[in-house]
Amino acid sequence: MRAVERDEAQSKINRALGSPASQIKVPKVGWIRTLRTALGMTGEALARRMGLSRTAAVRLETSECNASITLKSLQAAAEAMDCRVVYVFVPKEAETVEGLLQRQTQKKSRQILSEVSPHMALEAQSLTKDASDAELKRISNDLMHRMPRDLWDD
């Protein structure tokens, strides 16, 4: 294993560990291979430490890259490299969970208002832009507080 590859892998891991979870990207070759490379560990050594054949270890790294690996296998590989797996859900685009909820309540509010608007128009009770915006806000706040079962039904 070349020292340059090992140094690049170490830098990649150190940058990831110093980043907020929302900014961590899975390396193209996967975490197993990246960490193994950073440690200067051969695939054969990893296989031996895991009690696998070299071919099985290669399949493990491949399955991580194509997202078919199991958590159990990830944990076994991590353990073999004296690490642990941290499993976390992170909202997309660095949003907060509250931001996700707010976006969904606004979406649902627009849906509700769009369903009643044609009926209001038939009765000559259409809302102005300002009144419509205020009603969207009111409905969204109501949904945020009530959290109806159908909030996430599209």
Side-chain angles (χ1 to χ4, degrees), residues 3-146:
V4 172
E5 289 175 331
R6 186 183 63 242
D7 291 347
E8 287 174 4
Q10 287 174 354
S11 292
K12 186 177 290 187
I13 289 170
N14 288 335
R15 279 193 309 274
L17 293 175
S19 301
S22 62
Q23 295 176 0
I24 296 174
K25 305 286 188 252
V26 177
K28 287 181 183 178
V29 296
W31 286 112
I32 296 171
R33 185 170 180 183
T34 300
L35 182 59
R36 181 177 60 73
T37 302
L39 294 172
M41 183 184 292
T42 64
E44 192 172 316
L46 176 62
R48 198 171 37 254
R49 291 174 68 108
M50 291 182 71
L52 301 173
S53 68
R54 172 69 181 118
T55 304
V58 169
R59 277 196 307 263
L60 190 69
E61 289 181 358
T62 302
S63 69
E64 182 190 6
C65 289
N66 64 29
S68 63
I69 195 167
T70 65
L71 276 174
K72 185 176 181 177
S73 295
L74 274 175
Q75 289 170 330
E79 182 66 29
M81 294 184 282
D82 199 27
C83 291
R84 63 186 173 93
V85 173
V86 178
Y87 186 82
V88 63
F89 284 86
V90 178
K92 294 178 182 176
E93 302 171 16
E95 282 190 57
T96 63
V97 172
E98 291 80 9
L100 289 173
L101 185 56
Q102 185 176 24
R103 188 175 69 206
Q104 185 64 22
T105 59
Q106 289 170 351
K107 179 180 177 183
K108 191 72 167 184
S109 299
R110 285 189 296 275
Q111 179 186 354
I112 291 168
L113 197 56
S114 71
E115 290 171 2
V116 298
S117 291
H119 301 290
M120 293 175 71
L122 288 173
E123 297 174 9
Q125 296 177 355
S126 295
L127 297 176
T128 65
K129 170 80 169 104
D130 289 342
S132 180
D133 289 346
E135 187 61 11
L136 281 172
K137 187 174 182 177
R138 186 197 65 74
I139 294 169
S140 184
N141 287 337
D142 179 57
L143 291 172
M144 189 78 88
H145 289 96
R146 283 190 309 113

